[in-house]
C-alpha cells in the first residue's frame, strides 16, 4: 500500500515503516550523495592520507557529558591519531571542572589551544598542531543563549561559536544545545534560526567576509518519531537502525526547509546516541524508557563549492565511552582549496 515496506524484527514480529522515496543528488569526485531539501547526506570516503592531498584536515567531536567527566574519557575522546591539523571539541552539560586543562593534558602537547568559547555548561575548544598559532589569525568568539539560566544542574541551552582564519581559510565552528523532548520540534527549529541569525551577525558587521566553511556540532535534541519505542529498539538490536532515518526529526524538518538549508551530514550508520544507562551501552531502562534517538550531530556547509571542496572521511559514535547517557560523535572533514585558473 503506497510507500510502506515490511521489516522483519526480533522474535518473528513484523513492523510497518513508512518509507519516503530516496532522492539522489549530484555526483562528486567521491561518488553519489543522497539529497534532502535542506541537508545533503554525504557518504563517507574512507580514503584519507591527511594533508598530502588536502589543504586542511579537521577532527570534530561533540559530546553531552551529563555533568560527569574523567580524564580517561577525555583521553579516549581525543584519541591517539593526531595527524589532523585542527581538533574541534564541542561539549554540553559540562561539569564544573577545568576541562581546558584536562584536554591539554590528554593531548600530550601534540596540539595547542587556539581558541575557546564557554557559556556555562556549553563549551567549544579549537586545538591546532604545534606552531599552528603562526598560521592562525582573526580568532573571535560569540555566544547565543536561548531559554533560561540553566538552573542548578547547569543544563544551559543555546550556542557558543569560534570564528578564525587558519592558513587563509575562514571557518566558523558552533557548539550548541537545543531544547529537549520529542514534542518541542518547532521550538528547536526556532532556536536554530535565532542562533544562526545572532552569531557573528551580519547586521552588526555587514562588511564581514562570510565564512568559507561553517560546522555545527552539538546535542541538537531532535528525536525519532512515528514508530513505537520497542519496535525501534528491535530494529537497532538487529542492526537495522538505518531504517529509522526516515523517522528522524532533524532530517524531516530539513526536508520541510525549516533548518540547515545547504548543509551536509554523513550517513547515519551508527546507532542512536541517546539515551543510554550510565556506565553501559544499554538503552534507557528507567521508568521513562526514553526513545533512542540521534540527538548528537555534526553538520557542515561550504560557502562556495567552486572555491573550497569538503570531503567527509569518518562519521561515527564513540561507543566505548560510558560515563554519560549520550555517546560522543566524531567526524573527520578535509578541505581542499581550488587552484586559481
Amino acid at each position: 500500500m503506497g510507500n510502506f515496506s515490511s521489516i522483519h524484527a526480533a522474535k518473528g514480529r513484523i513492523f510497518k515503516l513508512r518509507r519516503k522515496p530516496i532522492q539522489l543528488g549530484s555526483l562528486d569526485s567521491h561518488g553519489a550523495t543522497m539529497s534532502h531539501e535542506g541537508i545533503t547526506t554525504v557518504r563517507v570516503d574512507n580514503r584519507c592520507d591527511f594533508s598530502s592531498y588536502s589543504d586542511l584536515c579537521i577532527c570534530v567531536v561533540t559530546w553531552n557529558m551529563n555533568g560527569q567527566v574523567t580524564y580517561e574519557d577525555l583521553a579516549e575522546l581525543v584519541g591517539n591519531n593526531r595527524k589532523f591539523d585542527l581538533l574541534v571539541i564541542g561539549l554540553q552539560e559540562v561539569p564544573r571542572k577545568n576541562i581546558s586543562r584536562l584536554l591539554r593534558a590528554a593531548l600530550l602537547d601534540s596540539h595547542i589551544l587556539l581558541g575557546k568559547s564557554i557559556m556555562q555548561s556549553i563549551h567549544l575548544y579549537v586545538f591546532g598542531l604545534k606552531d599552528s598559532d603562526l598560521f592562525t589569525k582573526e580568532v573571535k568568539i560569540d555566544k547565543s543563549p536561548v531559554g533560561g539560566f540553566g538552573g542548578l544542574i547547569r543544563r544551559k541551552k543555546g550556542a557558543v561559536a569560534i570564528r578564525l582564519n587558519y592558513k587563509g581559510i575562514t571557518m566558523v565552528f558552533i557548539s550548541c544545545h537545543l531544547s529537549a523532548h520529542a514534542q518541542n520540534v518547532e521550538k528547536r527549529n526556532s532556536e536554530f534560526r535565532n542562533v544562526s541569525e545572532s552569531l557573528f551577525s551580519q547586521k552588526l558587521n555587514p562588511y564581514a567576509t562570510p565564512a568559507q566553511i561553517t560546522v555545527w556540532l552539538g546535542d541538537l535534541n531532535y528525536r525519532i518519531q512515528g514508530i513505537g519505542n520497542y519496535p525501534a529498539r528491535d530494529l537497532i538490536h538487529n542492526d537495522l537502525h538505518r531504517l529509522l532515518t526516515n523517522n528522524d526529526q532533524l532530517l524531516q524538518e530539513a526536508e520541510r526547509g525549516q533548518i540547515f538549508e545547504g548543509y551536509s551530514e554523513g550517513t547515519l550508520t551508527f546507532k542512536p546516541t541517546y539515551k543510554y544507562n550510565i556506565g553501559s551501552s544499554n538503552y534507557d531502562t528507567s521508568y521513562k524508557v526514553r526513545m533512542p534517538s540521534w540527538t548528537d550531530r555534526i553538520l557542515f556547509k561550504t560557502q562556495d563549492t567552486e572555491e573550497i571542496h569538503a570531503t567527509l572521511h569518518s562519521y561515527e559514535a564513540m561507543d566505548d565511552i560510558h560515563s554519560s547517557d549520550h555517546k560522543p560523535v566524531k567526524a573527520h572533514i578535509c578541505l581542499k582549496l581550488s587552484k586559481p585558473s
Side-chain angles (χ1 to χ4, degrees):
M1 292 176 59
N3 293 322
F4 282 88
S5 62
S6 297
I7 307 298
H8 290 270
K11 301 179 182 179
R13 285 175 284 176
I14 297 177
F15 302 109
K16 298 281 190 177
L17 296 183
R18 187 176 296 275
R19 301 290 304 279
K20 293 184 179 181
I22 294 176
Q23 189 177 18
L24 292 180
S26 58
L27 297 176
D28 64 15
S29 60
H30 296 285
T33 62
M34 295 179 294
S35 180
H36 300 271
E37 181 176 341
I39 296 174
T40 299
T41 304
V42 183
R43 294 189 178 103
V44 168
D45 178 3
N46 293 319
R47 299 168 300 165
C48 179
D49 48 8
F50 290 90
S51 296
S52 62
Y53 168 77
S54 302
D55 292 303
L56 182 64
C57 286
I58 310 168
C59 179
V60 183
V61 182
T62 182
W63 185 29
N64 182 319
M65 304 176 77
N66 193 37
Q68 307 292 326
V69 65
T70 66
Y71 172 79
E72 290 75 18
D73 282 344
L74 291 180
E76 180 77 19
L77 202 71
V78 301
N80 296 318
N81 188 343
R82 308 274 174 73
K83 294 180 181 180
F84 41 80
D85 300 283
L86 296 179
L87 170 63
V88 179
I89 299 177
L91 303 171
Q92 307 84 42
E93 295 190 20
V94 178
R96 291 180 172 92
K97 302 285 186 181
N98 191 333
I99 300 298
S100 177
R101 179 180 60 81
L102 292 172
L103 285 171
R104 287 197 296 265
L107 284 165
L108 299 172
D109 299 323
S110 66
H111 286 64
I112 60 173
L113 183 64
L114 299 178
K116 66 179 179 180
S117 185
I118 296 174
M119 182 175 63
Q120 293 187 26
S121 60
I122 306 174
H123 291 203
L124 178 63
Y125 302 90
V126 177
F127 292 89
L129 289 168
K130 283 185 176 181
D131 300 325
S132 59
D133 53 331
L134 300 175
F135 310 104
T136 306
K137 59 182 181 179
E138 300 170 7
V139 179
K140 299 177 181 178
I141 67 171
D142 205 354
K143 305 171 186 179
S144 178
V146 298
F149 296 103
L152 294 176
I153 55 177
R154 286 168 50 88
R155 291 180 177 172
K156 182 68 178 174
K157 297 300 191 291
V160 296
I162 297 175
R163 176 188 172 104
L164 75 161
N165 185 302
Y166 184 78
K167 292 186 175 180
I169 302 175
T170 304
M171 296 170 279
V172 168
F173 301 102
I174 300 168
S175 172
C176 73
H177 192 185
L178 303 183
S179 288
H181 307 305
Q183 69 272 20
N184 286 332
V185 178
E186 293 300 333
K187 187 175 183 180
R188 285 188 283 276
N189 292 351
S190 176
E191 290 171 350
F192 167 80
R193 289 189 290 266
N194 290 338
V195 168
S196 298
E197 292 171 3
S198 65
L199 290 174
F200 305 115
S201 173
Q202 288 289 116
K203 294 179 182 178
L204 297 177
N205 190 1
Y207 302 106
T209 304
Q212 291 167 281
I213 182 168
T214 301
V215 181
W216 274 74
L217 53 146
D219 180 1
L220 304 181
N221 252 324
Y222 287 92
R223 308 302 174 94
I224 289 172
Q225 65 179 11
I227 182 175
N229 194 320
Y230 290 105
R233 290 180 182 224
D234 282 338
L235 290 173
I236 297 167
H237 179 74
N238 287 281
D239 291 326
L240 295 171
H241 44 276
R242 66 188 182 278
L243 298 175
L244 294 172
T245 56
N246 287 329
N247 301 83
D248 177 70
Q249 289 178 341
L250 189 148
L251 295 179
Q252 290 175 347
E253 294 306 299
E255 276 191 13
R256 295 203 306 126
Q258 300 299 303
I259 53 173
F260 288 108
E261 184 68 31
Y263 277 79
S264 297
E265 182 187 23
T267 306
L268 295 171
T269 58
F270 51 87
K271 294 180 179 180
T273 54
Y274 174 85
K275 172 180 172 116
Y276 286 90
N277 291 331
I278 294 173
S280 78
S281 288
N282 300 319
Y283 286 110
D284 182 24
T285 56
S286 73
Y287 72 95
K288 293 183 179 179
V289 196
R290 293 277 172 80
M291 169 73 82
S293 295
W294 286 289
T295 55
D296 310 277
R297 312 286 275 267
I298 299 171
L299 303 98
F300 59 95
K301 178 180 182 178
T302 54
Q303 180 68 20
D304 186 348
T305 55
E306 293 184 0
E307 179 184 70
I308 187 168
H309 182 60
T311 52
L312 185 66
H313 297 276
S314 72
Y315 190 41
E316 58 190 352
M318 303 181 69
D319 294 325
D320 293 333
I321 293 180
H322 303 105
S323 59
S324 172
D325 53 358
H326 291 251
K327 297 297 184 184
V329 172
K330 178 184 287 189
H332 174 193
I333 302 168
C334 286
L335 305 179
K336 181 71 174 177
L337 289 171
S338 300
K339 295 180 179 179
S341 56

